[in-house]
């Protein structure tokens, strides 16, 4: 993890990696210990998936919608 100049808190920490490697576990622990908000792409993707109507076309729409929504939420958290 990088530390911002003058000891200020970083604006954003990304936890990335291969599936099933503990990313969510690590991110949740960091969030709790540091008192920082946690935004998980899975928490954005899963409600979209659950709310959609069955069908291949709708599954494609969920995949397309999750990233713009995730980026929007990140921008909101950062105050952009």
């Amino acid at each position: 993890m990088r530390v911002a100049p003058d000891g200020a808190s970083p604006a954003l920490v990304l936890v990335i990696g291969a599936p099933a490697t503990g990313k969510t576990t690590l991110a949740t622990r960091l969030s709790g210990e540091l008192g920082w908000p946690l935004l998980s792409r899975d928490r954005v993707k899963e409600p979209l998936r659950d709310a959609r109507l069955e069908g291949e076309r709708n599954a494609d729409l969920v995949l397309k919608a999750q990233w713009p929504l995730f980026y929007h939420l990140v921008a909101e958290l950062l105050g952009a």
Side-chain angles (χ1 to χ4, degrees):
M1 176 181 356
R2 280 186 175 171
V3 177
D6 300 323
S9 297
L12 178 67
V13 174
L14 297 175
V15 178
I16 59 174
T21 57
K23 297 178 299 292
T24 300
T25 301
L26 175 62
T28 300
R29 189 165 184 178
L30 280 172
S31 174
E33 288 185 16
L34 299 172
W36 295 346
L38 171 64
L39 179 61
S40 166
R41 186 179 65 93
D42 288 342
R43 289 191 176 177
V44 171
K45 177 182 70 175
E46 290 168 5
L48 288 174
R49 184 194 63 220
D50 294 345
R52 73 172 167 82
L53 299 173
E54 293 302 320
E56 188 66 31
R57 182 167 183 248
N58 290 322
D60 290 343
L61 291 174
V62 168
L63 289 174
K64 289 179 183 176
Q66 67 181 323
W67 286 110
L69 178 56
F70 184 75
Y71 292 139
H72 173 77
L73 293 171
V74 169
E76 287 290 317
L77 279 174
L78 294 175

